[in-house]
């Protein structure tokens, strides 16, 4: 069974509808919501569902620390990290519940991207396929684009993301660390939609939110760790 971990500030209204779909998935028996904005928490009845647990943060913990926290709270060994503005073919959860094991590193779901066409190229039948990142002669594979939207990992394999990462780079950090010790995989031909950085956009609209300073600090951490920008790494995935 899977635990889904989702940090949120409730900026994306359809998130509640997405939750209604998630609680109906048999492979999911726990949904951990890391509530980073208690003042905006809605009162929808779906939040009282037995599968849903809400951890209220005193202040915004941001995405990467929220992922770390979610791992410590999760009751299941198999984890899904899902953005609150994502909808996806629900068949991917049963697929990952069967697929994850001790030998599997991080599994990310290919996402649409304005600067690459991998998602559209490999979306042919919406049948949820999985491929390793191992280079194989004459085999064309998608690049790991948009990994922070939805990815899967065994709890025992999770490596805490360093404190220097708040919003950006935590997914790339995890991907690289897992890749160094076990095999990573990409899910493709799986319909996924995302509204984009809704929460980030709203934070950037607020005066004195400090978010731009945080993003700069994240970028500096990425440069130190990988020697390249986050965008470059996501596209190449090497």
């Amino acid at each position: 069974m899977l635990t889904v971990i989702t940090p949120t500030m409730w900026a994306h209204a359809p998130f509640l509808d997405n939750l209604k779909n998630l609680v109906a998935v048999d492979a999911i028996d726990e949904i951990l919501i890391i509530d980073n904005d208690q003042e905006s928490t809605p009162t929808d009845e779906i939040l009282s569902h037995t599968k849903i647990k809400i951890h209220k943060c005193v202040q915004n913990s941001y995405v990467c620390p929220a992922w770390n926290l979610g791992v410590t709270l999760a009751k299941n060994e198999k984890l899904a990290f899902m953005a609150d503005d994502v909808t996806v073919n629900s068949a991917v959860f049963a697929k990952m519940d069967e697929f994850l094991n001790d030998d599997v590193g991080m599994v990310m779901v290919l996402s649409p991207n304005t600067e690459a066409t991998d998602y559209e190229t490999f979306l042919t039948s919406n049948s949820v396929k999985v491929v390793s990142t191992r280079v194989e002669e004459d085999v064309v594979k998608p690049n790991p684009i948009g990994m922070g939207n939805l990815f899967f990992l065994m709890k025992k394999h999770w490596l805490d993301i360093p404190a220097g990462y708040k919003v950006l780079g935590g997914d790339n950090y995890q991907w690289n660390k897992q890749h160094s010790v076990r095999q990573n995989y990409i899910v493709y031909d799986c319909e996924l939609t995302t509204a984009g950085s809704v929460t980030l956009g709203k934070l950037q609209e607020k005066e004195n939110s400090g978010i731009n300073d945080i993003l700069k600090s994240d970028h500096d951490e990425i440069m130190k760790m990988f020697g390249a920008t986050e965008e470059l790494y996501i596209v190449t995935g090497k």
Side-chain angles (χ1 to χ4, degrees), residues 53-105:
K53 298 177 182 176
I54 301 178
H55 180 87
K56 296 183 179 294
C57 296
V58 175
Q59 59 186 8
N60 186 5
S61 63
Y62 299 101
V63 174
C64 299
W67 284 342
N68 285 338
L69 174 62
V71 172
T72 66
L73 298 174
K75 72 175 184 179
N76 292 311
E77 181 60 28
K78 298 174 182 178
L79 307 179
F81 299 80
M82 187 172 182
D84 65 354
D85 56 10
V86 163
T87 58
V88 67
N89 178 352
S90 61
V92 71
F93 296 104
K95 186 94 169 183
M96 289 298 99
D97 189 30
E98 296 178 357
F99 187 79
L100 289 174
N101 59 53
D102 286 348
D103 297 322
V104 174

Side-chain angles (χ1 to χ4, degrees), residues 142-224:
N143 290 299
I145 296 171
M147 64 181 69
N149 287 322
L150 176 59
F151 63 93
F152 299 83
L153 195 69
M154 298 288 285
K155 181 175 181 176
K156 67 176 72 173
H157 294 162
W158 178 261
L159 297 170
D160 273 357
I161 299 169
Y165 297 93
K166 294 292 189 291
V167 177
L168 304 176
D171 49 351
N172 303 121
Y173 173 88
Q174 198 70 220
W175 180 265
N176 275 264
K177 292 298 184 181
Q178 295 298 326
H179 178 69
S180 67
V181 292
R182 44 186 77 87
Q183 182 64 59
N184 287 348
Y185 293 83
I186 300 170
V187 172
Y188 68 100
D189 198 14
C190 176
E191 193 170 86
L192 181 149
T193 60
T194 174
S197 302
V198 177
T199 301
L200 181 58
K202 290 201 172 185
L203 284 173
Q204 289 175 316
E205 291 173 0
K206 290 183 178 180
E207 291 186 10
N208 304 316
S209 70
I211 188 62
N212 289 329
D213 290 338
I214 289 172
L215 295 178
K216 183 182 183 304
S217 177
D218 284 348
H219 181 266
D220 291 345
E221 289 296 319
I222 293 165
M223 290 292 287
K224 285 190 292 185

